Amino acid sequence: MTGLMSDILESAVTLTAIEKSFGAVRALAGVDLLLKPGECLGLVGHNGAGKSTLMHVLAGTLKPDQGRLVIGTQDVSRQYSASNASAHGIRCVFQELSLCPNLTLAENVRIVHRALKGIGWKAKARRLIGEKLDEIFPGHGIDVDQEAGDLNIGQRQMAEIARAFTVTDEPLRVVILDEPTSSLDAVTARQLLTFMRQEVARGTSTILISHLLGDVLDYCDRIAVMKDGKVVAEKEAQNFTRHSLVAAMGATAEKAGPGTTARRRISSALTIEATPLTATQTGKLSVRKGEIVGLAGLAGHGQTRMLIQIFDGARKHSAAFIAGDRQSDGVFNLWSIGENVTVSALRHLRKGPLIRPEHEHNMARNWKQRIGIRTPDMNNNILTLSGGNQQKALFARALGSKADIVLMDDPMRGVDIGTKLEVYEMIRAEAEAGRSFVWYTTEIDELKHCDRAYIFRNGAIVAELQGDELSEDKVLHASFAESA
Amino acid sequence: MTALALNRKTLRALLPLASLALVLAATFYAQPRTMSYFGLNLMLQYAVPIALATIAQMFIITVNDLDLSIGPFVGLVGCIGATYLHDTPVLGILALLLCIGAYAAMAALIHLRNLPSIVVTLGASFIWLGIAVMILPSPGGKAPDWLKAIMSLQVPLIPFPIIAALLIALLVHIGLMTSSYGVIMRGTGGNPRAMARAGWSELKTKMVMYGLAGFFGVLSGLSLIGLTTSADAHIADRYTLYAIAGVILGGGEFVGGRVSPFGAVIGALTLALAGSFLIFMRISPDWQIGAQGAILIIVLALRALISAGEARR
């Protein structure tokens, strides 16, 4: 007990039993984490492990449901928010950049520093950001009077990082860097990491979240591995190797995947051949008739853009798209379930220029049975369905069209397991009937249902895994690069 | 390449000024007698209330909203000004303060209930109009004498409307474009999420901006009846479109917090002048709105052309 107390007294930040749920999804399931002053902590984990949620809690932009947050020696669990995070000395460089594109860099500095006001605030802000940029990224060539929107993505990331390290009257205790090098080239990434070590030597603590395991191993003092909303491993960095890190990320015993079917080697004719436009050095993607091909890797590394590229390149009406983000790309909110299902096949339901309502009803009724949409009446509004059943309706829409290629953009987000199993079976049956599926998924478990998979990293295809090589271990290895 | 980029940027910034110069030149050509102190004064006097209403609209556009009620609101202020403010000044001032408060309350409603601003302000426009008709069922009333005195001020050399317009633009420029608090206002238009992450309350920002819009709407209404000397509930119905057009003509954008106070005032002057020019051209008032729309389309097309060139680089 005394040991724990002295740990807390010495720590910069202590998180105890932090829990956070979004609806039914438990993003953080009781996280304990301790950060010492002058320490760099690496934080790694696969998609949905809870890293970003944890950082949002620490930055005050999300309130945890449960748990204790101590900064220095002060328990701030109750009154912590984004507006006093920086007064407590906590800064965060978020993965999605948070500069205002219509403001100059100097003005963007003002946003995070309440002390910058009164006569001469602009000169002060300009000097602050200019000096910090010079210090971290010598030779950066960024004009601090330029609007942030006029900078390229790398320069914006540099500016945002520099902004997080500027100091006015508030202390600088902890800087959280969430994938800070994602848009930086090798030279600037090195500059940043070198600066980070200097800053740590001066007593500032940093948290580095990165998929570049080499960087995490080389530049962090300690590494915490997250999985399923928990910290599953935490050791000094020198006690980890690349292999043990990857193993820890996927550590829990391989669950016997429900409904896993034997993978097939398909040698039918090619239906798709494509090369991602998002990278210069990349592998090629090919899909055969009747094949289920998975796209994997960390979220947002070019998989969705690959799907859209295939969709745009496909012959008219030969590809169907199943959106993962139901609310923005999927359902027609004001339409009935039946209309939502039949919209892709209206061409085949007409007589002359008009739609035959009885054909439409037949098709809706038919799909209600085939895919098991749980509703008393297909004429009810689509929003009367649960999320899983809405997703079934979207599957019915795609499968009900005459398309040979079905593109799926992580469609099982937030869908219950029962629905998932039904849909997996259906995909398998449709594939056997000759349809090709390209399936982007963020859940490694789902790759079990694919015949082959491509792993994406930074917009490029970096690996192709045949059915028998498709293991969590291999996918994780390919998803995390050595270093930039 | 940088020189070219700079050129396009300056070009875009100069576009409002060039449009004004063009309309002014056309007016002078059509009616050379307007090229005098007296002529300019007469032509531009109504530009002052339009400029004030345009600035009001600009505050709303800065935070990515649109105000469809500014015209009827200016009319309501005019009615209050020509009745209560004239007869019982204390009550009149209270009523005007209440109007500004109502604008701020509208912001709270829009933000808290997550409603589209155009729906709420369109609804509000009927409320303003209704109250205005109740206060002043038929055209009439009397503007306070001090208002008339201010609006008929004679300044040596440069006509009063020009000085007033420049003064308004300068003041708003300092407040919104150079002050440290103005940065927060514009940032909220540019990236509301980033502002929330930095701990700024969007509700507060929006209420302040709507409150400022209400304040400038009040100034607009008062300056208008200072010129007309009496009021009518429908006196400023056209101002809603003028104000939006003025902001956009002046280089502002509907979303993204990119606005320019000087541009907005110049845009308002251009629109006011265009009205006079069309009268000199003996174009029937029925066609005037259409002709003003044509001017707007031409300027926006030019702007799109410059931007397209920028994107092609």
Side-chain angles (χ1 to χ4, degrees):
Chain A
M1 191 61 214
T2 37
L4 181 70
M5 280 313 291
S6 66
D7 268 358
I8 289 178
L9 285 179
E10 276 173 24
S11 73
V13 175
T14 315
L15 296 160
T16 320
I18 298 285
E19 289 185 27
K20 177 80 194 169
S21 300
F22 300 99
V25 181
R26 209 149 170 237
L28 295 177
V31 173
D32 299 308
L33 201 64
L34 190 145
L35 187 63
K36 292 186 205 123
E39 176 187 49
C40 176
L41 176 75
L43 194 60
V44 297
H46 199 248
N47 297 322
K51 293 167 295 179
S52 288
T53 311
L54 186 64
M55 291 309 105
H56 275 288
V57 167
L58 198 45
T61 45
L62 273 181
K63 269 211 171 353
D65 304 332
Q66 294 282 331
R68 226 153 65 93
L69 172 59
V70 179
I71 299 176
T73 52
Q74 202 183 345
D75 187 340
V76 295
S77 315
R78 270 167 217 299
Q79 68 279 8
Y80 193 59
S81 72
S83 52
N84 60 27
S86 103
H88 285 295
I90 310 246
R91 315 283 179 78
C92 190
V93 178
F94 291 100
Q95 202 173 350
E96 332 85 78
L97 303 182
S98 31
L99 296 174
C100 292
N102 59 330
L103 302 182
T104 68
L105 288 191
E107 289 172 335
N108 268 297
V109 172
R110 146 73 184 148
I111 287 166
V112 295
H113 288 296
R114 263 147 237 263
L116 288 174
K117 57 185 174 196
I119 308 244
W121 71 268
K122 209 168 207 167
K124 250 186 271 170
R126 206 182 271 136
R127 204 171 51 237
L128 264 178
I129 186 76
E131 281 170 3
K132 206 44 97 176
L133 273 170
D134 290 341
E135 188 182 347
I136 306 177
F137 304 107
H140 53 83
I142 300 172
D143 174 6
V144 297
D145 288 318
Q146 242 177 324
E147 282 183 11
D150 291 338
L151 300 175
N152 67 37
I153 177 111
Q155 291 174 319
R156 283 210 293 277
Q157 193 159 37
M158 286 154 78
E160 181 150 3
I161 291 165
R163 182 177 75 164
F165 283 101
T166 54
V167 180
T168 49
D169 59 345
E170 291 164 338
L172 181 63
R173 215 191 287 259
V174 178
V175 180
I176 302 159
L177 300 163
D178 192 352
E179 296 287 355
T181 55
S182 58
S183 305
L184 299 183
D185 58 53
V187 176
T188 42
R190 203 63 42 212
Q191 287 175 337
L192 165 65
L193 293 168
T194 312
F195 172 80
M196 187 184 79
R197 284 314 313 184
Q198 289 167 8
E199 196 63 34
V200 166
R202 262 174 256 158
T204 311
S205 312
T206 55
I207 297 179
L208 176 67
I209 302 177
S210 177
H211 67 281
L212 302 169
L213 296 184
D215 289 355
V216 175
L217 285 165
D218 292 348
Y219 286 89
C220 294
D221 302 312
R222 209 152 48 88
I223 301 176
V225 181
M226 284 190 77
K227 185 180 165 71
D228 299 333
K230 283 197 188 110
V231 175
V232 291
E234 193 187 335
K235 279 190 273 189
E236 301 293 309
Q238 67 258 29
N239 297 336
F240 271 115
T241 62
R242 192 185 142 81
H243 274 276
S244 64
L245 263 186
V246 171
M249 276 188 249
T252 47
E254 189 112 330
K255 288 167 269 180
T260 312
T261 26
R263 280 154 193 135
R264 308 159 302 165
R265 283 245 182 210
I266 311 256
S267 50
S268 55
L270 282 176
T271 36
I272 310 172
E273 273 192 288
T275 315
L277 297 173
T278 38
T280 42
Q281 283 192 324
T282 170
K284 227 166 63 174
L285 173 138
S286 59
V287 180
R288 291 175 187 282
K289 190 170 155 56
E291 197 176 26
I292 306 173
V293 172
L295 306 184
L298 293 168
H301 274 241
Q303 297 95 334
T304 301
R305 266 187 279 172
M306 179 84 253
L307 291 178
I308 294 171
Q309 193 188 324
I310 296 172
F311 186 80
D312 288 341
R315 246 174 332 103
K316 221 177 163 194
H317 311 312
S318 70
F321 196 96
I322 301 177
D325 188 354
R326 280 189 295 283
Q327 290 324 315
S328 66
D329 312 326
V331 298
F332 294 100
N333 277 333
L334 299 175
W335 290 10
S336 73
I337 307 163
E339 286 167 323
N340 264 289
V341 169
T342 54
V343 62
S344 62
L346 289 178
R347 240 184 339 279
H348 310 288
L349 303 174
R350 348 172 257 208
K351 186 184 179 194
L354 300 178
I355 295 166
R356 298 277 302 265
E358 62 268 34
H359 285 190
E360 207 183 348
H361 288 149
N362 284 342
M363 177 176 171
R365 210 164 337 124
N366 184 9
W367 276 103
K368 175 180 179 262
Q369 278 176 356
R370 274 182 68 186
I371 209 165
I373 297 174
R374 283 178 201 106
T375 176
D377 186 350
M378 290 294 275
N379 291 321
N380 286 344
N381 182 276
I382 182 88
L383 297 183
T384 59
L385 295 178
S386 68
N389 276 293
Q390 285 181 30
Q391 196 64 46
K392 278 191 196 170
L394 293 186
F395 268 100
R397 180 195 294 170
L399 300 178
S401 73
K402 304 251 172 203
D404 314 318
I405 304 164
V406 180
L407 306 167
M408 303 195 282
D409 183 17
D410 201 12
M412 300 300 190
R413 268 177 237 173
V415 173
D416 62 282
I417 182 73
T419 306
K420 278 184 183 174
L421 293 180
E422 287 170 33
V423 171
Y424 294 152
E425 208 158 301
M426 198 134 200
I427 290 172
R428 177 61 55 172
E430 289 286 330
E432 250 138 44
R435 272 200 173 142
S436 310
F437 287 80
V438 184
W439 186 354
Y440 164 40
T441 172
T442 49
E443 286 176 41
I444 292 181
D445 270 351
E446 288 191 338
L447 292 174
K448 294 196 181 96
H449 303 276
C450 299
D451 300 316
R452 259 178 331 117
Y454 292 98
I455 315 299
F456 279 69
R457 196 169 69 219
N458 294 331
I461 294 177
V462 291
E464 177 187 346
L465 299 176
Q466 295 297 334
D468 39 10
E469 326 169 312
L470 254 177
S471 66
E472 181 161 16
D473 201 37
K474 286 239 169 74
V475 173
L476 283 173
H477 262 292
S479 306
F480 289 88
E482 195 59 55
S483 69
Chain B
M1 202 173 109
T2 331
L4 195 70
L6 228 105
N7 266 343
R8 291 200 184 270
K9 237 187 170 151
T10 354
L11 213 61
R12 255 189 85 141
L14 284 179
L15 196 61
L17 211 56
S19 333
L20 178 64
L22 199 72
V23 175
L24 197 62
T27 314
F28 286 159
Y29 178 76
Q31 188 52 265
R33 268 179 293 175
T34 57
M35 213 186 326
S36 65
Y37 177 89
F38 185 69
L40 277 172
N41 208 350
L42 207 59
M43 260 193 324
L44 287 175
Q45 56 181 0
Y46 282 94
V48 176
I50 296 179
L52 287 163
T54 307
I55 292 288
Q57 184 69 262
M58 190 191 74
F59 283 123
I60 309 270
I61 289 182
T62 305
V63 288
N64 296 346
D65 282 347
L66 205 59
D67 180 8
L68 295 185
S69 74
I70 190 71
F73 182 77
V74 170
L76 168 64
V77 170
C79 290
I80 293 173
T83 53
Y84 295 128
L85 196 62
H86 181 263
D87 307 331
T88 48
V90 177
L91 198 63
I93 289 170
L94 271 176
L96 293 177
L97 286 176
L98 204 66
C99 287
I100 297 174
Y103 249 69
M106 207 155 67
L109 177 71
I110 288 170
H111 183 76
L112 294 176
R113 305 297 307 160
N114 198 15
L115 298 166
S117 60
I118 50 171
V119 172
V120 173
T121 54
L122 186 65
S125 73
F126 297 108
I127 298 177
W128 308 145
L129 196 61
I131 300 174
V133 170
M134 271 158 60
I135 293 174
L136 200 65
S138 58
K142 264 204 185 77
D145 293 322
W146 53 272
L147 265 180
K148 287 187 268 188
I150 293 175
M151 292 312 290
S152 50
L153 208 63
Q154 297 275 346
V155 190
L157 295 173
I158 306 166
F160 169 71
I162 296 181
I163 294 183
L166 285 177
L167 210 64
I168 295 163
L170 185 70
L171 254 148
V172 179
H173 182 86
I174 291 172
L176 189 64
M177 308 306 281
T178 68
S179 85
S180 62
Y181 198 57
V183 168
I184 305 306
M185 303 285 138
R186 285 183 291 131
T188 301
N191 188 346
R193 259 181 64 207
M195 299 305 296
R197 279 175 180 174
W200 297 98
S201 154
E202 193 180 348
L203 174 68
K204 203 171 133 198
T205 307
K206 280 206 166 171
M207 284 179 70
V208 170
M209 288 308 252
Y210 274 70
L212 279 170
F215 175 66
F216 276 82
V218 165
L219 293 185
S220 171
L222 294 182
S223 62
L224 181 59
I225 58 162
L227 291 167
T228 58
T229 71
S230 67
D232 167 20
H234 289 284
I235 194 168
D237 284 357
R238 280 190 177 188
Y239 276 30
T240 304
L241 283 180
Y242 278 166
I244 298 172
V247 175
I248 303 304
L249 262 181
E253 281 169 25
F254 280 119
V255 284
R258 287 198 166 88
V259 292
S260 149
F262 274 102
V265 167
I266 289 172
L269 288 178
T270 311
L271 284 168
L273 263 182
S276 309
F277 168 70
L278 294 170
I279 291 170
F280 294 138
M281 295 301 289
R282 291 172 204 285
I283 292 174
S284 121
D286 295 340
W287 290 95
Q288 278 203 21
I289 284 273
Q292 279 171 343
I295 293 177
L296 197 61
I297 290 172
I298 292 170
V299 173
L300 288 185
L302 277 175
R303 204 162 93 184
L305 245 126
I306 294 174
S307 302
E310 214 165 292
R312 211 175 305 129
R313 272 187 306 117

